Amino acid sequence: MRFDIISVLPELLEGPFSHSILKRAQQKGLLDVHLHGLRDFGLGKHKQVDDYAFGGGAGMVMKPEPIAACIDQLLEQRQYDEI
């Protein structure tokens, strides 16, 4: 089973997937995990992936363009069972 995980900080997820049950599943070929860095698809000079919330307020909102670009590249690289 293959999992493609898109994250702003994929290096933080490397640890959990390299230990315990998940590690054993990968070694047996039951699990295939691929981490993809969203900043690789970010916009502008600073590879921005988020923006201020419309209407003000606290927090940030993810931009859809980097996410769509990453998903498009994944769809070009391999065939998925269902979309």
Side-chain angles (χ1 to χ4, degrees), residues 41-48 63:
F41 303 92
L43 304 174
K45 177 181 173 184
H46 299 289
K47 301 293 186 181
Q48 187 176 4
K63 289 186 174 196

Side-chain angles (χ1 to χ4, degrees), residues 6-8 38 48-52 54 60-67:
I6 302 169
S7 174
V8 175
L38 189 58
Q48 187 176 4
V49 295
D50 58 359
D51 203 355
Y52 294 104
F54 295 104
M60 302 290 279
V61 177
M62 298 301 293
K63 289 186 174 196
E65 295 89 351
I67 297 170

Side-chain angles (χ1 to χ4, degrees), residues 3-41:
F3 286 94
D4 287 298
I5 300 174
I6 302 169
S7 174
V8 175
L9 298 169
E11 55 274 358
L12 289 179
L13 298 174
E14 290 174 2
F17 286 109
S18 62
H19 293 87
S20 189
I21 296 171
L22 296 173
K23 180 181 179 181
R24 290 194 304 263
Q26 289 180 62
Q27 289 173 340
K28 291 181 180 179
L30 301 172
L31 180 65
D32 193 15
V33 177
H34 296 270
L35 301 174
H36 306 279
L38 189 58
R39 289 224 184 260
D40 295 340
F41 303 92

